[in-house]
Amino acid sequence: MKRIYNDINLASRNSFGVSEKARMVVEFDSAEDLKEIFSAERPDKWYVLGAGNNTLFTQYYDGVIFNPKASSIAILGDDGEYVDLRVEAAYDWDSLVEWSVNNGLWGIENLSAIPSSVGAAPVQNIGAYGAEVKDAITTVEYFDTNKLEVVRLSNKECGFAYRESIFKQELRGVAIILAVEMRLCRTPRPNLGYGDVIKEVEARGGATLQNIREAICAIRGRKLPDPKVLGNAGSFFKNPIVERGVADRLIAEYPDMPYYAVPNDEEHIKLAAGWLIDRAGLKGYRDGNVGVHQNQALVLVNYGGATGGEVIALSKYVSQCVKEKFGVEISPEVNLL
Ligand code: EPU
């Protein structure tokens, strides 16, 4: 079944809460719905919107927005140690994390409280507190709008990297994700190496799934604004990956600057965009309806009534200030339409 809405305001469909309109929104339940639409007449411009947590509409969207609605969860296999799941795209990400924690299954607990749908999670390989969703995903199933058939990709074929996947590259404008398969496990494997996580977990009595989830929710709650209260899309910018020489120069000048190794890459270093924006003096900066969040400079917020254009103007200003002060380019993590 599909439901079609014409000339519709997207304010309630994006976590920034910006009031831009789209020519058409299509809510669909199955691959058959998509096959019907794409075989009748392929839309010239289209986009897939999950829960709308990582998309900024900067203007009227003169195209078709596909919004998956199927949200079942099924256990495909359980050998006593590993449990294989298949979860459809519209399932709420954090409800899945809660379900896994309640069922004693390890693997995605560090990804607690990330606002996302399950279908959107592999697109930018959501990650937090030393974990990335790629470490749990076994298969992604999508509708191929060129071949008009369902395709399954193995984890390796998804091309996962930091906030990256094939769905942002070759399959952008081709794939509509239908379901994600994951493997979780029963043997505890706490991953507490990032920042304050270990301290918060110990304060709660040790590394149980429940304590880890509570600790992560508490840390996130302190730093990241709740989109239901203050419109935002989490980190607006990616942490920039720069040549080692650039990092060395900055570390010499700013010895307190945080930086991280890039796995399997000696030549590059990852910097913290939040720190760069903060040290450019922009944390808490406000321009009319939009601003840089006061507790986490990576997050741009809508104080109410902002247009996408205002957010994008602020993001350009922030990038420009960081470039002028540090000579480093930061680019949006959020999808801009
Ligand atoms: N920092 C500042 N000022 C700020 C923000 C950060 O000085 O305003 C410093 C922090 O003190 C720390 C460093 O910058 O030394 C890194 O900050 P933080 O640990 O808060 O994490 P992050 O690198 O800013 C990333 C993800 C988040 C994720 C956290 C925790 C990206 C773009 N962001 O942020 O993901 O929750 O790590 O793992 O990789 C998201 O993608 O929407 C998101 C929230």
Side-chain angles (χ1 to χ4, degrees):
M1 269 272 285
K2 55 189 188 296
R3 290 152 299 277
I4 296 177
Y5 305 88
N6 290 303
D7 197 32
I8 186 170
N9 192 311
L10 300 166
S12 63
R13 294 173 184 263
N14 73 94
S15 63
F16 255 116
V18 297
S19 236
E20 303 288 347
K21 279 185 161 185
R23 177 156 60 81
M24 187 187 283
V25 170
V26 177
E27 294 177 351
F28 68 93
D29 294 326
S30 66
E32 286 69 47
D33 296 334
L34 295 174
K35 192 165 181 180
E36 224 174 80
I37 295 167
F38 278 85
S39 41
E41 191 189 352
R42 190 188 166 84
D44 47 354
K45 184 174 172 186
W46 58 272
Y47 181 72
V48 187
L49 188 68
N53 288 298
N54 208 45
T55 297
L56 177 64
F57 294 96
T58 60
Q59 56 190 327
Y60 176 75
Y61 187 75
D62 189 17
V64 180
I65 291 189
F66 289 101
N67 179 218
K69 283 289 170 196
S71 62
S72 70
I73 177 166
I75 294 178
L76 303 176
D78 181 351
D79 67 2
E81 168 62 355
Y82 292 105
V83 173
D84 290 308
L85 297 177
R86 178 179 190 276
V87 191
E88 286 183 299
Y91 202 95
D92 172 60
W93 172 262
D94 192 51
S95 303
L96 176 64
V97 178
E98 188 180 30
W99 182 92
S100 74
V101 165
N102 289 341
N103 284 280
L105 298 172
W106 292 77
I108 53 176
E109 61 283 355
N110 285 30
L111 305 179
S112 287
I114 295 184
S116 178
S117 60
V118 165
V123 176
Q124 63 147 343
N125 179 25
I126 57 170
Y129 307 101
E132 288 184 323
V133 74
K134 75 171 173 55
D135 301 327
I137 289 177
T138 51
T139 302
V140 177
E141 194 176 285
Y142 67 90
F143 178 75
D144 187 307
T145 58
N146 291 334
K147 297 181 190 152
L148 302 185
E149 63 186 30
V150 174
V151 177
R152 289 167 58 79
L153 286 189
S154 68
N155 177 299
K156 249 204 162 79
E157 291 169 318
C158 290
F160 290 125
Y162 169 64
R163 295 297 192 273
E164 269 300 342
S165 76
I166 193 169
F167 303 104
K168 282 178 102 173
Q169 303 294 337
E170 293 98 298
L171 292 182
R172 195 188 173 111
V174 176
I176 300 181
I177 294 176
L178 301 167
V180 178
E181 293 180 11
M182 269 172 258
R183 170 165 283 198
L184 304 177
C185 82
R186 288 215 165 79
T187 301
R189 40 176 187 186
N191 174 0
L192 310 179
Y194 189 99
D196 291 344
V197 176
I198 194 157
K199 205 172 78 194
E200 292 275 347
V201 167
E202 275 167 6
R204 286 172 172 76
T208 63
L209 276 169
Q210 208 70 47
N211 287 346
I212 295 171
R213 175 167 168 75
E214 275 178 26
I216 302 259
C217 290
I219 298 171
R220 286 188 76 90
R222 281 199 293 272
K223 282 195 186 170
L224 296 164
D226 179 351
K228 289 188 202 90
V229 181
L230 199 57
N232 77 89
S235 300
F236 191 90
F237 299 97
K238 286 194 264 198
N239 285 331
I241 293 175
V242 300
E243 306 259 322
R244 177 170 279 281
V246 174
D248 287 345
R249 173 179 63 75
L250 288 169
I251 295 162
E253 198 174 343
Y254 306 97
D256 63 329
M257 183 185 77
Y259 59 94
Y260 315 96
V262 179
N264 309 318
D265 183 350
E266 300 276 296
E267 307 295 311
H268 293 90
I269 297 288
K270 187 156 86 176
L271 306 180
W275 185 92
L276 297 169
I277 298 166
D278 189 346
R279 287 295 286 265
L282 292 170
K283 194 169 179 167
Y285 171 83
R286 180 167 177 173
D287 183 8
N289 295 327
V290 293
V292 177
H293 188 52
Q294 62 205 13
N295 297 338
Q296 167 55 286
L298 254 187
V299 178
L300 303 187
V301 296
N302 172 5
Y303 285 105
T307 61
E310 285 173 278
V311 181
I312 208 70
L314 173 66
S315 84
K316 285 184 180 151
Y317 176 68
V318 169
S319 310
Q320 183 198 330
C321 292
V322 167
K323 173 88 183 159
E324 275 167 19
K325 184 162 171 70
F326 300 103
V328 171
E329 300 271 359
I330 53 171
S331 56
E333 186 210 79
V334 170
N335 298 309
L336 306 177
L337 287 185

